[in-house]
Amino acid sequence: MPRYEFTEGSSSKFWEITLEGTTLTKRWGRIGTDGQEKVEEFDSKAEAKKAYEAQVHEKVRKGYTLAESGDSDGGEATAESAVNPDLEAAILAKPDDAKGYLAYAEWLKGEGDPRAELILLQHSALEAPAATRKKVAKLIEDHANELLGESLTEAVSDETLKLEWHLGFIREARLGQVDYDSSANIPDLLAELLAHPSARFLSRLTLGMANFDGENDYDETLEVLAKAKPAPPLRSLFIGDFEFPDETEISWTQVGDLKPLYKVYPQLQELRVRGGEIGFGKIDLPELRSFTVETGGLHQGSVKEIVKAKWPKLESLEVWFGQENYGASGGVKDLKPLLDAEGVPALRKLGLRNSEFTDELCAVLPKSKILAQIEELDLSMGTMSDTGADTLAQNAKAFGHLKALDVTQNFLTKAGQKTVANVAKSVASGNQRTPYDEESRYAAVGE
């Protein structure tokens, strides 16, 4: 039974409270005595829980402090939400079907859980969003302690955590330090979020700055993701949502080892990673539709791991290679499995960006097997010269089926831009860079 005490001057009092179903039991008196006991009955669990919270709040306001947490008898009165594994399984099996959520709402009503009302309110909002938006926001605010808990509520308040709710549960979350004054522990907050019942059906997760003070390191954060039990059914994961160079340089960020995540989140459809020191290992994500790696220095071994992956459903692949000065290594020869269209039967959008061998890519792409199946090609941010543009133009027939070709932020002259203008149905060629000399061309992003 949770026990609160108040000691001031000659006063030395205790107050205990527990909640079991619709029964509220209180005991109070002078410390050292048995005190008095009172039992209150309510018509529903929801009413009993509301009374419990109001009375605890009143005692805390008067100066009582929690002395001991007591035994499990008072557990039902904590901020923990009710959980039903069978109903969760039904939602996980059909995450886009509202019927599973509505069934959960009926069960939660009997548990006095505010998510029941939130589910029903958000379900009605699917047809009339404007009329219920304020009601939803107020309900979440009024029951923040039960829906999130104190730490996560505080993180939402200072914008360390941003949430989108869907039918009573968190569907999307973005977590990251907001500025240099932030002291938020991102791994700890992520662990708390993943363990909370409200995040059981979390579908999209974005991780911003893990640390403004020193290197932006995601190692501990990835460990939390890999150890989540039960793991949420993530479909989208973005690691490294920061502005470079304003918040940190891209190569100052250490992402860490991604391999442990593959078995834990097999339903991933979108994976985006920004930073350096990325460990891929043998990539096994059979449901993935989109894979993006933004880095200033991709090692040759990582390039090989990416192109050897088997992605039967991958539709979009974007790889930033970076500068040799920041760890980039390898070249066109390492891309052979990809250029031969191995393991990517559904690929339609290909980005080979931020490369120091863009002219070489222009030379091999016309004869590659992959070119025939893609609809969009992005060769931006690299080192393409007018020589590369001439190669593209000379093989215009091979590129003619492309809906879009992007060669922006390379090193094309006005003449080079004109040369490549009609290679594809739509060509973006603006925002070119000017080299000091022929030997000083470099990928757009390194540090």
Side-chain angles (χ1 to χ4, degrees), residues 21 63 100 109 124 130 142 164 198 261 288 307 311 335 364 380 388 392 412 418 441:
K109 279 183 183 179
S124 67
D142 290 346
E164 179 185 308
S198 289
L261 303 183
L288 211 65
V307 301
W311 283 319
L335 298 176
V364 300
S380 64
L392 294 179
L412 302 182
K418 186 175 181 180
R441 289 181 291 126

PDB file of all heavy atoms in Angstrom, residues 21 63 100 109 124 130 142 164 198 261 288 307 311 335 364 380 388 392 412 418 441:
ATOM      1  N   GLY A  21      -9.861  -2.831  -8.001  1.00  0.00           N
ATOM      2  CA  GLY A  21     -11.115  -2.812  -8.748  1.00  0.00           C
ATOM      3  C   GLY A  21     -11.877  -1.522  -8.500  1.00  0.00           C
ATOM      4  O   GLY A  21     -11.406  -0.437  -8.817  1.00  0.00           O
ATOM      5  N   GLY A  63       1.523  18.831   1.141  1.00  0.00           N
ATOM      6  CA  GLY A  63       2.870  18.632   1.663  1.00  0.00           C
ATOM      7  C   GLY A  63       3.239  17.218   2.010  1.00  0.00           C
ATOM      8  O   GLY A  63       4.362  16.954   2.472  1.00  0.00           O
ATOM      9  N   GLY A 100      -9.974  -3.859 -34.573  1.00  0.00           N
ATOM     10  CA  GLY A 100      -9.158  -4.357 -33.472  1.00  0.00           C
ATOM     11  C   GLY A 100      -9.008  -3.327 -32.368  1.00  0.00           C
ATOM     12  O   GLY A 100      -9.064  -3.663 -31.174  1.00  0.00           O
ATOM     13  N   LYS A 109     -12.396  -0.031 -21.263  1.00  0.00           N
ATOM     14  CA  LYS A 109     -13.443   0.644 -20.484  1.00  0.00           C
ATOM     15  C   LYS A 109     -13.592  -0.010 -19.118  1.00  0.00           C
ATOM     16  O   LYS A 109     -13.689   0.661 -18.088  1.00  0.00           O
ATOM     17  CB  LYS A 109     -14.781   0.564 -21.225  1.00  0.00           C
ATOM     18  CG  LYS A 109     -14.990   1.580 -22.328  1.00  0.00           C
ATOM     19  CD  LYS A 109     -16.387   1.409 -22.900  1.00  0.00           C
ATOM     20  CE  LYS A 109     -16.637   2.351 -24.056  1.00  0.00           C
ATOM     21  NZ  LYS A 109     -17.999   2.161 -24.619  1.00  0.00           N
ATOM     22  N   SER A 124     -13.839   8.514 -34.053  1.00  0.00           N
ATOM     23  CA  SER A 124     -14.837   9.455 -34.575  1.00  0.00           C
ATOM     24  C   SER A 124     -14.166  10.575 -35.353  1.00  0.00           C
ATOM     25  O   SER A 124     -14.760  11.140 -36.276  1.00  0.00           O
ATOM     26  CB  SER A 124     -15.668  10.031 -33.424  1.00  0.00           C
ATOM     27  OG  SER A 124     -14.876  10.852 -32.582  1.00  0.00           O
ATOM     28  N   ALA A 130     -11.757  17.931 -37.694  1.00  0.00           N
ATOM     29  CA  ALA A 130     -11.733  19.302 -37.186  1.00  0.00           C
ATOM     30  C   ALA A 130     -12.539  19.433 -35.893  1.00  0.00           C
ATOM     31  O   ALA A 130     -12.151  20.137 -34.966  1.00  0.00           O
ATOM     32  CB  ALA A 130     -12.272  20.260 -38.242  1.00  0.00           C
ATOM     33  N   ASP A 142      -5.054  15.861 -20.174  1.00  0.00           N
ATOM     34  CA  ASP A 142      -5.654  15.582 -18.867  1.00  0.00           C
ATOM     35  C   ASP A 142      -5.185  14.242 -18.293  1.00  0.00           C
ATOM     36  O   ASP A 142      -5.128  14.074 -17.071  1.00  0.00           O
ATOM     37  CB  ASP A 142      -7.178  15.593 -18.970  1.00  0.00           C
ATOM     38  CG  ASP A 142      -7.742  16.985 -19.207  1.00  0.00           C
ATOM     39  OD1 ASP A 142      -6.987  17.959 -19.018  1.00  0.00           O
ATOM     40  OD2 ASP A 142      -8.924  17.092 -19.586  1.00  0.00           O
ATOM     41  N   GLU A 164       2.629  11.381 -32.511  1.00  0.00           N
ATOM     42  CA  GLU A 164       1.358  11.371 -33.242  1.00  0.00           C
ATOM     43  C   GLU A 164       0.571  10.159 -32.760  1.00  0.00           C
ATOM     44  O   GLU A 164       1.067   9.028 -32.793  1.00  0.00           O
ATOM     45  CB  GLU A 164       1.584  11.263 -34.749  1.00  0.00           C
ATOM     46  CG  GLU A 164       0.268  11.224 -35.530  1.00  0.00           C
ATOM     47  CD  GLU A 164       0.449  11.002 -37.013  1.00  0.00           C
ATOM     48  OE1 GLU A 164       1.238  11.751 -37.621  1.00  0.00           O
ATOM     49  OE2 GLU A 164      -0.195  10.078 -37.553  1.00  0.00           O
ATOM     50  N   SER A 198       1.312   2.419 -24.331  1.00  0.00           N
ATOM     51  CA  SER A 198       0.793   3.350 -25.328  1.00  0.00           C
ATOM     52  C   SER A 198       1.591   3.313 -26.628  1.00  0.00           C
ATOM     53  O   SER A 198       1.105   3.747 -27.672  1.00  0.00           O
ATOM     54  CB  SER A 198       0.796   4.783 -24.774  1.00  0.00           C
ATOM     55  OG  SER A 198      -0.189   4.944 -23.778  1.00  0.00           O
ATOM     56  N   LEU A 261      19.421  -5.016 -35.341  1.00  0.00           N
ATOM     57  CA  LEU A 261      18.054  -4.538 -35.533  1.00  0.00           C
ATOM     58  C   LEU A 261      17.267  -5.378 -36.533  1.00  0.00           C
ATOM     59  O   LEU A 261      16.032  -5.390 -36.503  1.00  0.00           O
ATOM     60  CB  LEU A 261      18.054  -3.079 -36.005  1.00  0.00           C
ATOM     61  CG  LEU A 261      18.755  -2.050 -35.116  1.00  0.00           C
ATOM     62  CD1 LEU A 261      18.588  -0.661 -35.716  1.00  0.00           C
ATOM     63  CD2 LEU A 261      18.200  -2.091 -33.698  1.00  0.00           C
ATOM     64  N   LEU A 288      11.628  -4.424 -46.843  1.00  0.00           N
ATOM     65  CA  LEU A 288      12.043  -3.042 -47.067  1.00  0.00           C
ATOM     66  C   LEU A 288      11.678  -2.555 -48.468  1.00  0.00           C
ATOM     67  O   LEU A 288      11.896  -3.245 -49.465  1.00  0.00           O
ATOM     68  CB  LEU A 288      13.558  -2.910 -46.863  1.00  0.00           C
ATOM     69  CG  LEU A 288      14.032  -1.554 -46.328  1.00  0.00           C
ATOM     70  CD1 LEU A 288      13.506  -1.321 -44.922  1.00  0.00           C
ATOM     71  CD2 LEU A 288      15.552  -1.470 -46.336  1.00  0.00           C
ATOM     72  N   VAL A 307      25.320  -3.575 -51.570  1.00  0.00           N
ATOM     73  CA  VAL A 307      24.975  -4.079 -52.906  1.00  0.00           C
ATOM     74  C   VAL A 307      24.777  -5.592 -52.932  1.00  0.00           C
ATOM     75  O   VAL A 307      24.187  -6.129 -53.883  1.00  0.00           O
ATOM     76  CB  VAL A 307      26.033  -3.671 -53.952  1.00  0.00           C
ATOM     77  CG1 VAL A 307      26.150  -2.156 -54.019  1.00  0.00           C
ATOM     78  CG2 VAL A 307      27.392  -4.305 -53.649  1.00  0.00           C
ATOM     79  N   TRP A 311      16.943  -7.778 -51.529  1.00  0.00           N
ATOM     80  CA  TRP A 311      15.764  -7.003 -51.184  1.00  0.00           C
ATOM     81  C   TRP A 311      14.678  -7.244 -52.220  1.00  0.00           C
ATOM     82  O   TRP A 311      14.558  -6.494 -53.194  1.00  0.00           O
ATOM     83  CB  TRP A 311      16.103  -5.517 -51.128  1.00  0.00           C
ATOM     84  CG  TRP A 311      16.823  -5.103 -49.895  1.00  0.00           C
ATOM     85  CD1 TRP A 311      16.578  -5.510 -48.624  1.00  0.00           C
ATOM     86  CD2 TRP A 311      17.921  -4.184 -49.810  1.00  0.00           C
ATOM     87  NE1 TRP A 311      17.437  -4.903 -47.758  1.00  0.00           N
ATOM     88  CE2 TRP A 311      18.283  -4.076 -48.457  1.00  0.00           C
ATOM     89  CE3 TRP A 311      18.630  -3.442 -50.752  1.00  0.00           C
ATOM     90  CZ2 TRP A 311      19.308  -3.256 -48.013  1.00  0.00           C
ATOM     91  CZ3 TRP A 311      19.651  -2.618 -50.320  1.00  0.00           C
ATOM     92  CH2 TRP A 311      19.980  -2.539 -48.959  1.00  0.00           C
ATOM     93  N   LEU A 335      30.291  -1.826 -57.147  1.00  0.00           N
ATOM     94  CA  LEU A 335      28.841  -1.734 -57.366  1.00  0.00           C
ATOM     95  C   LEU A 335      28.336  -2.761 -58.369  1.00  0.00           C
ATOM     96  O   LEU A 335      27.154  -2.764 -58.707  1.00  0.00           O
ATOM     97  CB  LEU A 335      28.480  -0.331 -57.868  1.00  0.00           C
ATOM     98  CG  LEU A 335      28.775   0.841 -56.933  1.00  0.00           C
ATOM     99  CD1 LEU A 335      28.440   2.154 -57.628  1.00  0.00           C
ATOM    100  CD2 LEU A 335      27.978   0.715 -55.650  1.00  0.00           C
ATOM    101  N   VAL A 364      29.563   3.625 -67.076  1.00  0.00           N
ATOM    102  CA  VAL A 364      29.126   2.225 -66.953  1.00  0.00           C
ATOM    103  C   VAL A 364      27.606   2.068 -66.931  1.00  0.00           C
ATOM    104  O   VAL A 364      27.087   0.990 -67.262  1.00  0.00           O
ATOM    105  CB  VAL A 364      29.723   1.566 -65.686  1.00  0.00           C
ATOM    106  CG1 VAL A 364      31.240   1.583 -65.756  1.00  0.00           C
ATOM    107  CG2 VAL A 364      29.220   2.246 -64.419  1.00  0.00           C
ATOM    108  N   SER A 380      23.346  13.312 -58.182  1.00  0.00           N
ATOM    109  CA  SER A 380      23.652  14.652 -57.675  1.00  0.00           C
ATOM    110  C   SER A 380      24.759  14.642 -56.629  1.00  0.00           C
ATOM    111  O   SER A 380      25.162  13.592 -56.129  1.00  0.00           O
ATOM    112  CB  SER A 380      22.392  15.275 -57.074  1.00  0.00           C
ATOM    113  OG  SER A 380      21.952  14.527 -55.951  1.00  0.00           O
ATOM    114  N   GLY A 388      31.444  13.758 -68.195  1.00  0.00           N
ATOM    115  CA  GLY A 388      30.357  12.872 -67.807  1.00  0.00           C
ATOM    116  C   GLY A 388      29.060  13.241 -68.500  1.00  0.00           C
ATOM    117  O   GLY A 388      28.298  12.358 -68.921  1.00  0.00           O
ATOM    118  N   LEU A 392      26.672  10.887 -71.023  1.00  0.00           N
ATOM    119  CA  LEU A 392      25.226  10.695 -70.888  1.00  0.00           C
ATOM    120  C   LEU A 392      24.509  11.044 -72.191  1.00  0.00           C
ATOM    121  O   LEU A 392      23.615  10.316 -72.640  1.00  0.00           O
ATOM    122  CB  LEU A 392      24.682  11.539 -69.735  1.00  0.00           C
ATOM    123  CG  LEU A 392      25.133  11.190 -68.317  1.00  0.00           C
ATOM    124  CD1 LEU A 392      24.507  12.155 -67.309  1.00  0.00           C
ATOM    125  CD2 LEU A 392      24.776   9.755 -67.962  1.00  0.00           C
ATOM    126  N   LEU A 412      29.264  20.879 -63.535  1.00  0.00           N
ATOM    127  CA  LEU A 412      28.956  21.122 -64.937  1.00  0.00           C
ATOM    128  C   LEU A 412      29.015  22.608 -65.263  1.00  0.00           C
ATOM    129  O   LEU A 412      28.563  23.445 -64.479  1.00  0.00           O
ATOM    130  CB  LEU A 412      27.567  20.587 -65.281  1.00  0.00           C
ATOM    131  CG  LEU A 412      27.309  19.096 -65.049  1.00  0.00           C
ATOM    132  CD1 LEU A 412      25.899  18.734 -65.500  1.00  0.00           C
ATOM    133  CD2 LEU A 412      28.336  18.242 -65.765  1.00  0.00           C
ATOM    134  N   LYS A 418      23.566  22.189 -70.661  1.00  0.00           N
ATOM    135  CA  LYS A 418      22.786  22.180 -71.898  1.00  0.00           C
ATOM    136  C   LYS A 418      22.900  20.822 -72.590  1.00  0.00           C
ATOM    137  O   LYS A 418      21.925  20.314 -73.156  1.00  0.00           O
ATOM    138  CB  LYS A 418      23.286  23.298 -72.823  1.00  0.00           C
ATOM    139  CG  LYS A 418      22.458  23.471 -74.075  1.00  0.00           C
ATOM    140  CD  LYS A 418      22.934  24.669 -74.881  1.00  0.00           C
ATOM    141  CE  LYS A 418      22.087  24.853 -76.127  1.00  0.00           C
ATOM    142  NZ  LYS A 418      22.545  26.025 -76.941  1.00  0.00           N
ATOM    143  N   ARG A 441      37.941  18.719 -57.923  1.00  0.00           N
ATOM    144  CA  ARG A 441      36.534  18.334 -57.777  1.00  0.00           C
ATOM    145  C   ARG A 441      36.386  17.360 -56.602  1.00  0.00           C
ATOM    146  O   ARG A 441      37.229  16.506 -56.392  1.00  0.00           O
ATOM    147  CB  ARG A 441      36.021  17.692 -59.060  1.00  0.00           C
ATOM    148  CG  ARG A 441      35.858  18.693 -60.210  1.00  0.00           C
ATOM    149  CD  ARG A 441      35.314  18.058 -61.473  1.00  0.00           C
ATOM    150  NE  ARG A 441      36.273  17.145 -62.080  1.00  0.00           N
ATOM    151  CZ  ARG A 441      36.016  15.885 -62.382  1.00  0.00           C
ATOM    152  NH1 ARG A 441      34.824  15.373 -62.100  1.00  0.00           N
ATOM    153  NH2 ARG A 441      36.937  15.122 -62.936  1.00  0.00           N
TER     154      ARG A 441
END
